[in-house]
C-alpha cells in the first residue's frame, strides 16, 4: 500500500526549514491547500518548534497559532493533523476538526494526553522521545538504538492502553533526530521491520533533517535535503511504512510513484 503523505505546515516564527514564511493565517491556509493539491493526504499543522535547542511555547500561544489555520483548512476540505505535545491543544484541534493527533513526545510531555486521545478517538501518532529539545542531544545514548527505541515505544503502548486508548488508534514513529545522532537514525531506518513487529503502522519523519547532510556535499543547503528525503521515502515505502512526514510533497510523490511502478510493472 502506498504510504500516507503528511505534509508539514509549521506555523512557528522559528522553524528551521520554513521559518517565518507564513506570517498570516490566510497565507498558512493557502499553503496548506497548495500542499493538498500537490498530493498530500493530510496537512500536519504545528505551532511549537522542536528544533534542537528550541524553547517551549505556552499552550495558549500555540493554540492561537494553530487553531485558526486548522479551522480554515478543515473548512476548505483539507484533512488535518495537529503536531502538538499539549493535551489542551490536541483537544482544541480535535474540536476544530483535526483528524489526527501527532505527539512527538509519545505522551511523555503531558500527563493528560492519553485521556484526550481516548476521549476524542482521533488517530494518535506516538513518537519515540526522551526529553525536550533543550536537553535531547545529551540523551542520545543507547545500547542498541533499535532495540531500545522498540522497548521504550512498547512501554508507551502499555501505558496508553491503560488510559483507554484503542490499539487501532495508534501509529508509532521512531522519532528520527530526537535524542538520536546520525548513525542512530540510519540504523532505525535500516531496521524498520523490527519496529513493525510491534504490530502498529509506522510513520517516518526524515524530511530535511540534519543527518541527511551525510550524503550531500558540505556546501549543500537545507532545500538540497529534499532529494535524499525522497529517496528515504521510497525505501521506507518499500519497507512497509504507513506514513511519511515531509516538507516537499512533489518529490516524495514522485518517489512513491517509482515504488508503485516498480512493483506493478507500470505507472498508475
Ligand atoms: N519531526 C519534527 C516534528 N514533528 N512528528 C513526527 N510524528 N515525526 C517526526 O519525525 C517529527 C514530527 C521535526 O521536524 P520539523 O521541525 O521539520 O517539523
Amino acid at each position: 500500500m502506498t504510504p500516507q503523505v503528511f505534509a508539514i505546515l509549521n506555523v512557528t516564527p522559528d522553524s528551521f526549514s520554513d521559518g517565518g514564511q507564513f506570517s498570516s493565517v490566510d497565507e498558512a491556509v493557502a499553503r496548506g491547500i497548495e500542499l493538498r493539491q500537490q498530493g498530500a493526504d493530510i496537512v500536519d499543522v504545528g505551532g511549537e518548534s522542536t528544533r534542537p535547542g528550541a524553547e517551549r511555547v505556552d499552550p495558549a500561544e500555540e493554540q492561537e497559532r494553530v487553531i485558526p489555520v486548522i479551522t480554515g483548512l478543515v473548512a476548505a476540505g483539507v484533512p488535518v493533523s495537529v503536531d502538538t505535545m499539549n493535551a489542551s491543544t490536541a483537544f482544541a484541534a480535535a474540536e476544530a476538526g483535526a483528524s489526527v493527533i501527532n505527539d512527538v513526545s509519545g505522551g511523555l510531555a503531558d500527563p493528560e494526553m492519553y485521556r484526550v486521545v481516548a476521549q476524542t478517538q482521533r488517530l494518535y501518532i506516538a513518537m519515540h522521545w526522551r526529553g525536550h529539545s533543550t536537553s535531547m542531544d545529551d540523551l542520545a545514548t543507547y545500547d542498541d538504538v533499535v532495540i531500545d527505541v522498540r522497548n521504550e515505544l512498547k512501554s508507551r503502548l502499555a501505558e496508553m492502553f491503560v488510559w483507554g486508548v484503542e490499539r487501532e488508534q495508534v501509529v508509532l514513529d521512531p522519532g528520527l533526530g530526537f535524542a538520536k545522532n546520525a548513525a542512530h537514525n540510519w540504523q532505525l531506518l535500516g531496521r524498520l521491520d523490527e519496529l513493525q513487529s510491534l504490530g502498529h503502522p509506522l510513520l517516518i519523519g526524515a524530511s530535511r533533517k540534519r543527518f541527511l547532510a551525510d550524503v550531500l556535499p558540505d556546501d549543500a543547503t537545507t532545500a538540497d535535503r529534499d532529494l535524499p528525503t525522497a529517496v528515504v521515502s521510497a525505501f521506507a515505502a518499500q519497507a512497509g511504512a504507513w506514513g511519511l512526514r515531509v516538507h516537499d510533497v512533489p518529490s516524495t510523490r514522485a518517489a512513491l510513484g517509482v515504488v508503485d511502478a516498480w512493483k506493478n510493472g507500470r505507472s498508475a
Side-chain angles (χ1 to χ4, degrees), residues 173-198:
D173 183 329
L176 301 178
F178 288 80
K180 285 153 203 109
N181 64 31
H184 294 140
N185 295 328
W186 292 117
Q187 286 162 39
L188 285 160
L189 284 169
R191 290 163 63 192
L192 285 184
D193 54 322
E194 291 175 51
L195 299 176
Q196 246 148 9
S197 67
L198 285 168

Side-chain angles (χ1 to χ4, degrees), residues 8 10 15-17 44 50-51 83 102 104 125 127 173 175-176 178 203-207 209 245 247:
I8 300 167
N10 285 325
S15 175
F16 78 87
S17 47
D44 188 36
T50 50
R51 185 175 45 104
D83 187 343
N102 173 24
V104 298
I125 298 167
M127 199 191 80
D173 183 329
L176 301 178
F178 288 80
L203 180 84
I204 305 299
S207 190
K209 285 187 179 165
R245 181 180 178 278
H247 296 88

Side-chain angles (χ1 to χ4, degrees), residues 5 8 20 27 48 51 66 74 94 114 123 156 158 186 240 257 266:
V5 176
I8 300 167
E27 272 178 282
E48 175 173 1
R51 185 175 45 104
V66 300
V74 169
Y114 296 152
L123 201 69
R156 292 293 90 225
W186 292 117
R266 60 184 160 75

